Amino acid sequence: MKAIQMIDIVKTFGPVTANDKVSLDIMQGEILSLLGENGSGKTTLMNMLAGIYFPDSGRILINGKEVTIRSPKDAFDLHIGMIHQHFKLVDVLTAAENIILGLNEHALVDLKGVRAAVREICDRYGFVVDPDKKVYDMSVSEKQTLEIVKVLYRGADILILDEPTAVLTPQETAKLFAVMRNMRADGKSIVIITHKLHEVMEISDRVAVLRKGKYIGDLMTRDTNPQQLTDMMVGRAVALNIDRPDPVNLSERLVVKNLTVVDGDGVKRLDGVNFTAYGGELLGIAGISGSGQKELLEAIAGLQPIEAGSSIRYLPPEDKEAEELVGKTPQDIKRLGVRLAFVPEDRLGMGLVGSMDLSDNMMLRSYKSGKLPFADRKHPRQLAAKVVEELEVVTPGLSTPVRRLSGGNVQKVLVGREIAGAPSLLMTAYAVRGLDINTSYTIYRLLNEQKQAGAAVIYVGEDLDVLLELCDRILVLCAGRVSGIVEGRKTTKEEVGLLMTHLGQEANANEA
């Protein structure tokens, strides 16, 4: 039975057509995976079901009856709930208070009743939620669970999950999938937006594919495979093997000892971290969200205050004296001749300026090299043209503001700019987060090229399958400490997942 029918849905944003006469059915009691490259219109389509966008044309039918969804409240009234990639929770409130927030505003809040309802939902589907726990005390997995319980409490029979496993460990992902199967068995319809093909094959009953805003088709999961789905998404054959060339001519490039970082609130974000990064090697960094990955890269780049007793020694590829980076600003590090490139997690906050065009964003790296008081604009424009051509950046032109590009194209611009200076140390934070498989493989290729050129590449990632396939060694962080350093070719997802959640044998003193 069809729970939802979306017929000839059209949605435009200015000159861009995000959805072009898309027709999609969602069946009752199924898990549907929605696949497509970045900018293919997946999230836009689901946002119209959730009441965040309103279609320009087309019809939506719920259980055979045509409906109008103008707001999230309309969606909830029709028993549709969406769990966004970025959680919509109030940190200082408890789980129960977040669940009731915005409901029955003119009635007395019955928190006792909410607690009882939450316990009933948890028992029914296999969730674990403490109704009285504050959100700021919750792990990422607990917050996501709370978001799902929140929409179930509000009566959702159709759930939309946007990149639900992006920041979960393998063990947490397995628990989520078990809960999703229980909800399906109870008759719920679930749509999951994801780029992880192995998860699509594991959890979904059916897969629907969008490409450049158009509906390409759907297949029963049991009748397809990752290669076929990738070819449908991209429109041509794409190899699914991540290259991992063997490291050659390894040389110490970065030696970190007893690195400790304390934030402005007195919380220790990194605690005595020790490791060595080698030129000609790709070192992965794994850990659940908030384990210190961000602070680690920013400390090396001179963007974090570092506690006394810490040491970050950079050894140039040339036979020059090692440089101590602790206490130095990014400009100090550059003046020392350290060829350091950093692709931060926040692409349009720390990495690029959204209101500036491609050429001006390239110039952020080189504006001081012009003849004062004029900046050199010729070379940045040439570099922008080169990045657009070589990385296949989809853009109307070099004068287009970066904020108007899709997430994948923004990332290509950022990575292209950072590697243009032939770095000897390249650090990337979540370089492929939210990117489609085609763009992701382009990024992997670029990282491997830098590794083969002799650079030390540090790759912070959240997809353990990619970390195991791409990296030579993997350093695992847990609560700001190193819980282990393992060989990428020999370890397993389960071993890394356990290290992510439990501090094993102290690895700081005796690096693997």
Side-chain angles (χ1 to χ4, degrees):
M1 178 179 173
K2 295 178 180 178
I4 292 181
Q5 294 168 270
M6 303 183 80
I7 304 170
D8 292 334
I9 298 295
V10 175
K11 182 63 182 175
T12 60
F13 298 95
V16 177
T17 302
N19 294 127
D20 186 2
K21 292 188 177 180
V22 174
S23 295
L24 175 71
D25 294 336
I26 301 171
M27 311 304 290
Q28 183 177 333
E30 78 163 352
I31 298 175
L32 172 69
S33 286
L34 192 56
L35 283 180
E37 291 189 277
N38 292 107
S40 62
K42 308 181 299 296
T43 301
T44 299
L45 187 67
M46 291 298 101
N47 277 337
M48 284 184 277
L49 273 186
I52 295 170
Y53 295 147
F54 190 75
D56 298 335
S57 63
R59 298 185 297 145
I60 299 176
L61 282 68
I62 308 291
N63 296 323
K65 180 181 177 182
E66 188 165 344
V67 299
T68 300
I69 306 175
R70 295 186 178 274
S71 69
K73 184 180 183 305
D74 289 345
F76 275 123
D77 291 342
L78 292 165
H79 307 292
I80 301 170
M82 185 167 180
I83 294 88
H84 299 271
Q85 192 172 354
H86 303 289
F87 306 136
K88 314 293 183 183
L89 301 170
V90 180
D91 280 358
V92 296
L93 299 182
T94 65
E97 289 166 342
N98 268 281
I99 288 169
I100 203 70
L101 192 65
L103 296 178
N104 303 318
E105 293 176 343
H106 302 293
L108 290 173
V109 175
D110 177 18
L111 283 177
K112 184 177 180 181
V114 175
R115 293 188 188 97
V118 169
R119 280 192 288 270
E120 194 274 329
I121 291 171
C122 290
D123 291 343
R124 187 171 187 173
Y125 299 115
F127 291 108
V128 177
V129 172
D130 179 355
D132 297 313
K133 191 171 186 177
K134 298 278 191 182
V135 170
Y136 58 68
D137 286 329
M138 294 182 180
S139 66
V140 174
S141 175
E142 288 174 311
K143 290 177 184 178
Q144 185 178 71
T145 301
L146 173 57
E147 286 279 27
I148 297 173
V149 171
K150 186 170 74 173
V151 298
L152 289 172
Y153 177 87
R154 299 179 182 203
D157 292 322
I158 300 149
L159 291 87
I160 304 163
L161 284 73
D162 191 359
E163 299 284 351
T165 65
V167 290
L168 301 184
T169 67
Q171 290 83 354
E172 290 167 340
T173 298
K175 289 179 183 177
L176 174 64
F177 284 179
V179 168
M180 289 170 62
R181 293 186 182 101
N182 290 339
M183 290 192 290
R184 175 183 60 188
D186 196 40
K188 305 289 186 187
S189 301
I190 302 169
V191 180
I192 176 173
I193 301 172
T194 181
H195 291 110
K196 300 179 180 179
L197 292 178
H198 62 282
E199 293 181 356
V200 170
M201 300 305 297
E202 179 181 349
I203 190 62
S204 64
D205 302 303
R206 189 165 57 96
V207 187
V209 180
L210 298 182
R211 188 198 312 147
K212 296 181 180 178
K214 293 181 180 290
Y215 181 74
I216 301 303
D218 68 283
L219 296 163
M220 298 304 293
T221 308
R222 63 175 177 269
D223 297 330
T224 188
N225 56 65
Q227 186 66 61
Q228 182 181 12
L229 293 174
T230 302
D231 296 347
M232 287 178 68
M233 280 194 292
V234 179
R236 55 183 170 81
V238 175
L240 288 179
N241 296 319
I242 299 177
D243 290 330
R244 178 165 49 189
D246 290 330
V248 293
N249 301 323
L250 292 180
S251 59
E252 288 188 353
R253 186 61 38 80
L254 195 74
V255 179
V256 176
K257 292 186 177 179
N258 196 38
L259 179 59
T260 301
V261 172
V262 178
D263 68 16
D265 296 324
V267 177
K268 196 175 280 189
R269 296 297 180 182
L270 292 173
D271 185 5
V273 169
N274 294 288
F275 70 93
T276 300
Y278 295 90
E281 173 196 64
L282 208 156
L283 175 67
I285 309 288
I288 61 174
S289 180
S291 292
Q293 304 95 312
K294 175 177 179 286
E295 289 80 7
L296 176 61
L297 298 196
E298 289 183 3
I300 295 168
L303 298 169
Q304 284 275 356
I306 298 171
E307 296 298 294
S310 303
S311 173
I312 303 173
R313 289 176 63 245
Y314 170 82
L315 292 82
E318 309 86 9
D319 291 329
K320 294 181 180 178
E321 202 170 311
E323 298 284 357
E324 177 59 60
L325 303 187
V326 171
K328 293 183 172 59
T329 67
Q331 282 299 325
D332 294 335
I333 293 172
K334 186 176 181 179
R335 277 192 289 268
L336 286 171
V338 176
R339 300 203 310 276
L340 185 152
F342 179 30
V343 179
E345 177 181 2
D346 187 357
R347 300 166 192 167
L348 289 177
M350 290 181 64
L352 302 169
V353 178
S355 59
M356 291 168 58
D357 64 23
L358 275 71
S359 298
D360 285 350
N361 269 288
M362 296 296 165
M363 195 170 63
L364 291 176
R365 265 281 188 181
S366 60
Y367 67 94
K368 290 191 175 183
S369 61
K371 295 179 180 179
L372 294 177
F374 302 104
D376 174 15
R377 290 184 173 275
K378 180 181 177 182
H379 290 97
R381 189 167 184 83
Q382 290 174 342
L383 175 57
K386 182 180 178 183
V387 168
V388 167
E389 180 183 356
E390 293 186 358
L391 302 188
E392 300 179 351
V393 176
V394 179
T395 175
L398 299 183
S399 59
T400 302
V402 167
R403 69 169 181 269
R404 294 186 183 174
L405 305 183
S406 71
N409 288 304
V410 168
Q411 190 71 338
K412 286 180 182 179
V413 171
L414 179 54
V415 173
R417 185 192 72 189
E418 291 302 304
I419 67 175
S424 55
L425 173 60
L426 171 62
M427 304 189 298
T428 69
Y430 307 108
V432 298
R433 175 182 280 173
L435 302 189
D436 60 70
I437 193 163
N438 198 35
T439 304
S440 297
Y441 275 70
T442 298
I443 301 296
Y444 303 148
R445 174 178 59 80
L446 292 172
L447 297 181
N448 272 320
E449 286 176 359
Q450 295 306 302
K451 164 186 161 180
Q452 289 179 293
V457 181
I458 300 178
Y459 174 87
V460 174
E462 55 204 359
D463 188 329
L464 292 190
D465 290 281
V466 170
L467 282 165
L468 266 62
E469 202 173 339
L470 177 68
C471 302
D472 300 302
R473 289 185 304 145
I474 301 169
L475 180 150
V476 186
L477 287 173
C478 178
R481 301 172 68 188
V482 177
S483 57
I485 300 177
V486 294
E487 295 289 333
R489 293 168 176 78
K490 298 177 181 177
T491 190
T492 63
K493 277 205 303 183
E494 290 70 27
E495 181 184 10
V496 176
L498 285 172
L499 288 170
M500 287 166 66
T501 51
H502 301 288
L503 279 169
Q505 265 191 335
E506 186 61 45
N508 290 348
N510 186 18
E511 181 180 319

